[in-house]
């Protein structure tokens, strides 16, 4: 089908930190613009601020495993339809109010309210009923057994009923939670100093033990990769995520340490099937055959990645090594393009019925990897006569294109995860009308 051109999977993410631990406040350089603090709203999602404030029933552990968070224990019926969740006791919201089963009930009811702007109702469409049977017991019954159910719950933030119960859905969608962001997470919100600076303090009543918590944290939002590196070198940041291109520059600083953490992310280019020329599978295969994935992994990802052909990480239990994974084959790509009616013009660019083969790729301008990968891809596709047009846009515009490429872009260089449960990613990308089906792919077979 060749619907997504996989480029590579990241083996690790790279972080830079100061050797000297701050005594009073840690300044963290965030790379994502914060749209809101309620992650259950589609427009917000989880970010570097609300992940400090809020908790979930289940979370992803340090080794990438699913583990209980606000749940202390649970059981599943033999038929896989009934889940009994025993909630933690002794958990408090940041304002001192006890966390109860009522908060879980309120959260799920808000998700299934048709007026709420959320995608969690789609992710949890297998839920039939839910009820709080005892003070700390919550029971969910499913319509059909779903292996990925618990990992789907890990996407949902549990919200405070005592704060939002009298707030309308319209007000919540408009950002009511942002005005009083109370959670049960490790850090409590202190203040929004500016649009790019958020202050937090350690939650002394946090239910998970921590040996040496940082007492205060300043989240400083700087989307541009190069700017964050400069701030690290100037001492304005204590820790931040960086791209591999900056490792050598930061290693030269005596007080900066580089950390590599395992990654569950793969990069790829989803094809916009609304574009007539991309509806031809010969054209899509030709583009895929023109890509040098090894070079992209080595030069754009600086060796912290490996080439990829499937939208699943090699470490995943569903990774299939028997699937045909064709390497780069320029000659075969030219044959396929010719069969599809594309022939070189006088300038070397392919043409069909008088139209040039212009291939428009959306690039997130602040991301150094995407910029460099885009330039490499442009050079690689030029070898077969495809003229790549790189459209460098800001994060907001990039996010909009990522939701709907419309008729303006043929693809984008995106990133997805799926280490824990690939079904969560793949179903949304390939199901007809799926939330992440930016390709507009539809097939009865899938």
């Amino acid at each position: 089908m060749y619907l997504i051109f996989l480029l590579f999977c990241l083996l690790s993410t790279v972080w830079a930190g100061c050797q000297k631990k701050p005594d009073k406040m840690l300044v963290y350089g965030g790379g994502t613009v914060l749209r809101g603090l309620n992650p259950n709203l589609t427009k917000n999602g989880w970010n570097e601020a609300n992940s400090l404030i809020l908790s979930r029933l289940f979370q992803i552990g340090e080794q990438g495993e699913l583990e209980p968070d606000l749940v202390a224990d649970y059981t599943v019926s033999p038929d896989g339809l009934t889940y009994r969740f025993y909630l933690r006791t002794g958990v408090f919201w940041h304002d001192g109010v006890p966390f109860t089963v009522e908060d879980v009930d309120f959260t799920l009811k808000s998700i299934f309210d048709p007026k709420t702007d959320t995608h969690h109702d789609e992710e949890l469409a297998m839920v039939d009923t839910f009820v709080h049977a005892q003070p700390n017991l919550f029971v969910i019954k499913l319509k059909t057994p779903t292996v990925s159910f618990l990992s789907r719950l890990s996407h949902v933030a549990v919200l405070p009923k005592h704060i939002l119960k009298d707030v309308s859905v319209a007000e919540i969608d408009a950002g009511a939670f942002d005005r009083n962001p109370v959670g049960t997470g490790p850090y409590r919100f202190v203040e929004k100093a500016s649009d790019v600076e958020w202050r937090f303090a350690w939650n002394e009543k946090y239910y998970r033990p921590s040996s040496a918590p940082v007492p205060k944290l300043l989240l400083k939002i700087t989307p541009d990769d190069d700017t964050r590196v400069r701030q690290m070198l100037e001492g304005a940041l204590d820790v931040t995520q960086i791209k591999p291109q900056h490792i050598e520059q930061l290693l030269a600083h005596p007080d900066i340490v580089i950390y590599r953490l395992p990654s569950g992310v793969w990069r790829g280019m989803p094809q916009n099937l609304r574009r007539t020329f991309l509806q031809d599978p010969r054209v899509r295969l030709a583009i895929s055959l023109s890509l040098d994935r090894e070079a992209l992994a080595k030069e754009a990802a600086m060796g912290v990645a490996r080439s990829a052909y499937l939208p699943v990480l090699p470490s995943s239990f569903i990774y299939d090594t028997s699937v045909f994974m064709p390497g780069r084959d320029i000659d075969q790509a030219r044959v396929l393009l010719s069969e599809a009616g594309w022939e070189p013009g006088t300038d070397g660019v392919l043409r069909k019925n008088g139209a040039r083969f212009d291939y428009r790729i959306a690039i997130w301008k602040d991301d150094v990897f995407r910029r460099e990968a885009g330039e490499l891809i442009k050079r690689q596709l030029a070898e077969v006569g495809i003229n790549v047009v790189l459209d460098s846009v800001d994060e907001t515009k990039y996010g909009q294109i990522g939701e709907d490429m419309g008729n303006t872009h043929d693809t984008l260089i995106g990133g997805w995860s799926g280490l824990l449960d690939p079904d969560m990613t793949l179903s949304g990308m390939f199901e007809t009308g799926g939330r992440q089906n930016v390709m507009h792919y539809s097939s009865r077979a899938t």
Side-chain angles (χ1 to χ4, degrees):
M1 294 186 292
Y2 300 98
L3 303 171
I4 301 177
F5 302 152
L6 279 299
L7 303 177
F8 52 76
C9 57
L10 291 173
L11 302 176
S12 62
T13 56
V14 187
W15 298 76
C18 289
Q19 294 194 58
K20 300 176 181 178
K21 181 181 177 181
D23 296 326
K24 297 181 179 179
M25 178 179 291
L26 182 141
V27 182
Y28 170 71
T32 306
V33 174
L34 304 185
R35 297 181 177 86
L37 296 179
N38 181 356
N40 293 344
L41 299 181
T42 299
K43 62 184 178 182
N44 296 340
W46 286 96
N47 56 47
E48 292 160 308
N50 55 33
S51 59
L52 297 171
I53 300 170
L54 291 161
S55 304
R56 329 170 192 213
L57 293 177
F58 290 84
Q59 68 174 13
I60 308 303
E62 293 183 0
Q63 302 302 319
E65 75 284 6
L66 186 70
E67 64 180 20
D69 190 8
L70 288 172
V71 169
D73 197 7
Y74 70 97
T75 62
V76 186
S77 62
D79 61 5
L81 294 176
T82 303
Y83 287 75
R84 299 171 67 86
F85 299 105
Y86 299 89
L87 305 181
R88 285 180 183 266
T89 58
V91 177
F92 295 89
W93 294 96
H94 295 157
D95 58 5
V97 174
F99 159 75
T100 72
V101 71
E102 295 280 351
D103 298 304
V104 180
D105 184 72
F106 170 80
T107 297
L108 287 182
K109 284 179 178 177
S110 68
I111 284 174
F112 288 107
D113 188 321
K115 293 178 288 186
T116 301
D117 176 24
T118 184
H119 58 261
H120 292 324
D121 56 344
E122 297 177 17
E123 294 181 347
L124 298 175
M126 72 292 298
V127 171
D128 187 16
T129 61
F130 53 87
V131 62
H132 47 287
Q134 298 173 15
N136 277 66
L137 174 61
F138 196 79
V139 180
I140 299 180
K141 293 187 176 181
L142 307 185
K143 302 171 187 175
T144 181
T146 305
V147 174
S148 61
F149 176 57
L150 295 182
S151 64
R152 290 169 185 261
L153 285 180
S154 72
H155 290 199
V156 178
V158 178
L159 300 176
K161 178 181 179 179
H162 68 285
I163 288 179
L164 298 173
K165 64 180 179 179
D166 296 322
V167 181
S168 69
V169 171
E171 290 177 296
I172 293 177
D173 283 357
F177 180 73
D178 293 14
R179 294 191 289 272
N180 189 16
V182 171
T184 55
Y187 281 85
R188 55 183 176 82
F189 173 79
V190 175
E191 67 168 342
K192 180 181 177 182
S194 69
D195 287 339
V196 296
E197 291 191 354
W198 302 63
R199 298 180 186 274
F200 304 88
W202 175 251
N203 174 17
E204 298 291 346
K205 294 184 178 181
Y206 188 48
Y207 50 89
R208 286 178 174 272
S210 178
S211 58
V214 176
K216 295 181 180 180
L217 189 150
L218 171 62
L219 174 60
K220 191 171 183 178
I221 304 299
T222 309
D224 183 72
D225 293 333
D226 295 326
T227 302
R228 288 201 310 281
V229 169
R230 186 168 62 252
Q231 290 173 341
M232 277 296 303
L233 293 169
E234 294 171 350
L237 300 178
D238 295 311
V239 64
T240 191
Q241 186 175 359
I242 64 169
K243 295 299 189 297
Q245 287 83 351
H246 296 122
I247 292 177
E248 289 189 13
Q249 183 182 5
L250 290 167
L251 279 176
H253 195 290
D255 295 326
I256 293 178
V257 180
I258 301 298
Y259 303 91
R260 295 173 186 254
L261 302 178
S263 171
V265 173
W266 48 270
R267 304 288 192 187
M269 298 162 56
Q271 302 306 291
N272 185 359
L273 298 184
R274 284 182 174 176
R275 306 286 278 177
T276 304
F277 73 97
L278 288 175
Q279 294 172 7
D280 190 329
R282 294 170 298 184
V283 171
R284 299 198 303 270
L285 176 55
I287 298 174
S288 180
L289 290 172
S290 302
L291 295 172
D292 188 342
R293 292 167 172 81
E294 297 293 340
L296 285 163
K298 181 179 179 180
E299 298 177 40
M302 304 295 287
V304 299
R306 57 178 288 185
S307 56
Y309 295 87
L310 299 175
V312 185
L313 294 177
S315 57
S316 172
F317 64 94
I318 70 166
Y319 190 80
D320 187 355
T321 56
S322 68
V323 173
F324 177 56
M325 302 181 190
R328 194 180 198 216
D329 191 334
I330 294 294
D331 293 335
Q332 181 61 20
R334 291 186 177 122
V335 170
L336 289 167
L337 290 166
S338 179
E339 289 177 356
W342 293 94
E343 299 295 344
T346 55
D347 58 356
V349 177
L350 296 175
R351 282 176 167 76
K352 180 179 180 180
N353 299 328
R356 285 198 346 157
F357 198 138
D358 290 331
Y359 187 61
R360 193 174 184 86
I361 305 176
I363 302 292
W364 182 0
K365 70 179 182 66
D366 294 328
D367 188 307
V368 64
F369 154 72
R370 286 177 170 88
R371 294 199 306 265
E372 296 195 6
E375 293 294 339
L376 279 170
I377 291 168
K378 182 175 183 176
R379 294 197 295 271
Q380 291 174 6
L381 296 189
E383 295 182 45
V384 296
I386 296 174
N387 179 53
V388 171
V389 179
L390 299 176
D391 187 14
S392 184
V393 298
D394 62 22
E395 183 185 0
T396 300
K397 181 64 176 177
Y398 181 82
Q400 294 170 350
I401 297 170
E403 294 177 1
D404 186 357
M405 290 187 281
N407 276 318
T408 60
H409 294 82
D410 302 308
T411 188
L412 56 85
I413 300 177
W416 297 266
S417 63
L419 182 60
L420 177 68
D421 191 342
D423 175 66
M424 284 294 297
T425 300
L426 299 182
S427 61
M429 295 184 75
F430 292 101
E431 286 179 353
T432 300
R435 183 175 60 88
Q436 290 186 315
N437 189 351
V438 67
M439 302 168 293
H440 302 286
Y441 171 70
S442 179
S443 170
R444 290 184 179 181
T446 58

